């Protein structure tokens, strides 16, 4: 199996599992996986598709500027530039962007603080943090409609090969060295968002 | 493959995906997809079926008055007249009606206002609105038991080829130029309802 | 296909769909479908099985006293006596008992009133009530540990061929003339419970 | 079929069903099933795997100290020592550890009390308690980062062949004489957690 096919299958696996959770409402969300390092090429979701379906047109291969490598009627997802930032600045191998109810709620509740900090949760180990008092911070940035401006703001928070950034009232982008790590960062973040939302209202009510 | 079979398969795909989400509780919900433009014919769900099952009797083809084209024991869904309004007044190609907990809750909370307005959410782009301050309004109409009266009230809010209307304590009807767009309008609306419901109670509790 | 096989398949279909929704937590829940009218025989779930699995031992056929028709190591569900009441007193053809979070919550919140009344919801039509101001009452009975006592109390609320009864902090039993109607009554009730629970807390918070 | 293959299949079945519920976020969770009694060997999940996937490397067989029986690149789950405590101290045959939103919320809300007590719920019968006023207590222990310390604290609450312990902001471990009983204890506990969380906020709001 060719390298590009191998990467395609890894990304298709993730797409299938996240689609079952309804993490791609209204054709939203986009996924990217690196194929070659130098020069950089990566597979990214084609724009405007219903991600509960599977086809040979789900992804297309693009270069370090997010432009398709070949002539095609497919367009890369509008937010491909965010994945470009990640792959160009770090050793990340996979990057996932999804809209969920709870990541939108958290992004709105903590927008003024510009971040949300998680501490004292076992699941933080998924971020590679094993100390008892470890904390993990997820930055929250404004949702600029102008994608290059958004990519620029986003880029300020991209320095490690794995990480997560919330865009206000929009969604999360989580990335990692490979598909497994990117998915792990994504799922740990969503777990923490859902936990936090639920605990917040309960503590307000019962204490 | 014939045109009617192609449309059947598109509608069956949507029915399957929405059934998994439990968006057709107690045999509720109905779906329609246009087959011919002039004279108008469309496929619509047969009345009273459990939509978690699939059969050759799931849909039947009806004319511009919502009457079956052929002799059959199947009856079109009771609310076929609402789809008739949409197909007769606009260039819509597909129309979806579902009952969910959150669309019922929103319809009750905002019934007195007669509408709910969404603004500042990325997912609004699903409605084809790309400006940063774009807003999308979903009208809320009373749930008249008399279907022609309901269809008449509903019709007042049907002018574009894509849109969405809430019926109080009943459900949403969302439509679009084709199956993909109708599903996109429906999913964007449900996402916004769920987001709004959750944020509303959290803001009341923690601010 | 024999009649008993036909009924088996109908009940297995329902079991499969409800299992996906996690409506049988911890091997709870039981399902029954009538095979013969006179003398009465019906299929009922075998006790203690994990209902996310399927086997030829999922159901067994019992008589009008809830006793197995044949020699078997399988035991009918502990609450078979409730289904006996329904089949003996009415023309019901199918009876479903499930534990869900929301039916337990409603049963506890309204236990003192002894019932919950739903009105003004479109989904009430699933109960065969088509008038605009129709209401549907679901009785709530105490959860007697002694099954014959429970069956006796339950029996007081069994008079029509379709209906629903809540048992406090236990679950719902819904029945109908056939599998489709029983499932419709069950799903309409669960929809109303979930809607009510959600609206109740929102109204307390935002009004 | 060999005994180890039989046990493998039982554990794989549970893994598949719990993965669909998203009870293994971010590669978390671990499962164990006894193969031989004396000397003790058991199958346990390999560390760091995405549990929505299935492979011949999902589990490995370990001895009474939690060490692999054979030479392998696979590592047993970090919390294998907790399963070791259970199998060494009791007649349990299966032990399941999962992270869910609701078990984390409950573990935080009741951490100071060191336990949560459930009473008056039908589902308590899943724990083998059939009296009307039976109660079931789930201890809540601190989440020591040092696994041997955690295992030691955990061990204090392990005396019966079936039981459940919550680890604060971490997850639940539930076990039983066999796969069916362990899953039953797990599901009953999760049902009670979700029920309790929902009722708690509703009672605070509407009474």
């Amino acid at each position: 199996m060719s390298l590009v096919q191998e990467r395609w299958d890894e990304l298709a696996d993730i797409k299938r599992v996240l689609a079952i959770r309804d993490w791609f409402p209204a054709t939203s969300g986009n996924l990217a996986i690196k194929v070659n390092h130098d020069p950089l090429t990566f597979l990214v979701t084609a724009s405007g598709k219903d991600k509960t379906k599977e086809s040979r047109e789900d992804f297309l291969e693009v270069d370090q500027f997010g432009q398709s490598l070949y002539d095609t009627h497919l367009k890369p997802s509008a937010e491909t530039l965010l994945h470009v930032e990640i792959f160009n600045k770090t050793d990340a191998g996979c990057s996932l962007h999804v809209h969920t109810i709870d990541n939108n709620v958290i992004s709105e509740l903590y927008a003024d603080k510009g971040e949300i900090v998680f501490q004292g949760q076992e699941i933080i180990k998924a971020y590679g943090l094993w100390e008892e008092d470890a904390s993990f911070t997820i930055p929250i940035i404004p949702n600029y409609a102008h994608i290059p401006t958004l990519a620029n703001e986003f880029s300020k928070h991209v320095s490690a090969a794995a990480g997560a950034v919330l865009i206000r009232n929009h969604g999360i982008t989580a990335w990692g060295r490979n598909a497994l790590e990117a998915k792990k960062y994504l799922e740990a973040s969503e777990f923490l968002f859902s936990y936090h939302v639920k605990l917040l209202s309960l503590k307000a009510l019962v204490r």
Side-chain angles (χ1 to χ4, degrees), chain A:
Chain A
M1 188 161 50
S2 72
L3 182 63
V4 63
Q5 185 60 45
E6 224 174 284
R7 293 295 174 261
W8 182 292
D9 291 350
E10 287 184 74
L11 206 57
D13 268 5
I14 289 181
K15 177 172 155 289
R16 195 179 309 117
V17 170
L18 304 192
I20 292 169
R21 294 179 195 158
D22 295 328
W23 283 11
F24 303 122
T27 80
S28 70
N30 45 80
L31 313 175
I33 194 163
K34 191 155 78 170
V35 178
N36 291 298
H37 186 72
D38 191 10
L40 172 68
T41 69
F42 62 93
L43 288 167
V44 67
T45 38
S47 186
K49 302 268 181 194
D50 181 338
K51 289 177 188 72
T52 62
K53 295 175 191 283
E54 277 181 64
S55 88
R56 292 310 302 166
E57 301 202 328
D58 284 346
F59 311 119
L60 70 164
E61 197 173 353
V62 299
D63 64 19
Q64 75 268 37
F65 308 107
Q67 304 293 324
S68 176
L69 291 192
Y70 34 82
D71 205 34
T72 172
H73 68 283
L74 300 174
K75 291 203 322 184
S77 281
E79 285 136 350
T80 297
L81 282 187
L82 275 65
H83 303 305
V84 162
E85 291 296 327
I86 290 165
F87 293 134
N88 278 326
K89 291 185 69 173
T90 76
D91 281 333
C94 183
S95 170
L96 310 170
H97 171 72
V98 300
H99 302 196
T100 68
I101 304 297
D102 285 343
N103 73 32
N104 271 254
V105 166
I106 289 284
S107 80
E108 174 65 13
L109 282 179
Y110 290 88
D112 294 345
K113 297 212 173 92
E115 64 181 36
I116 182 162
V117 183
F118 293 110
Q119 189 167 28
Q121 287 294 119
E122 172 70 12
I123 205 113
I124 283 177
K125 290 183 185 166
Y127 300 121
L129 304 166
W130 294 79
E131 312 82 63
E132 207 153 19
D133 57 351
S135 76
F136 189 76
T137 298
I138 300 181
I140 303 170
I141 64 173
N143 185 27
Y144 299 110
H146 184 243
I147 301 291
T149 306
L150 180 64
N152 192 50
E153 180 67 25
F154 181 81
S155 180
K156 294 175 191 168
H157 302 282
V158 177
S159 56
V165 171
L166 271 174
I167 309 171
R168 184 176 182 175
N169 282 328
H170 180 152
I172 193 175
T173 300
W175 64 95
R177 265 161 288 259
N178 49 44
L180 178 67
E181 193 178 54
K183 184 158 176 273
K184 197 159 66 169
Y185 267 63
L186 176 62
E187 292 183 341
S189 304
E190 292 296 330
F191 185 91
L192 287 165
F193 298 152
S194 298
Y195 168 81
H196 191 79
V197 158
K198 210 155 193 175
L199 193 64
L200 209 59
S201 54
L202 270 164
K203 283 200 161 168
L205 283 168
V206 300
R207 293 202 168 173

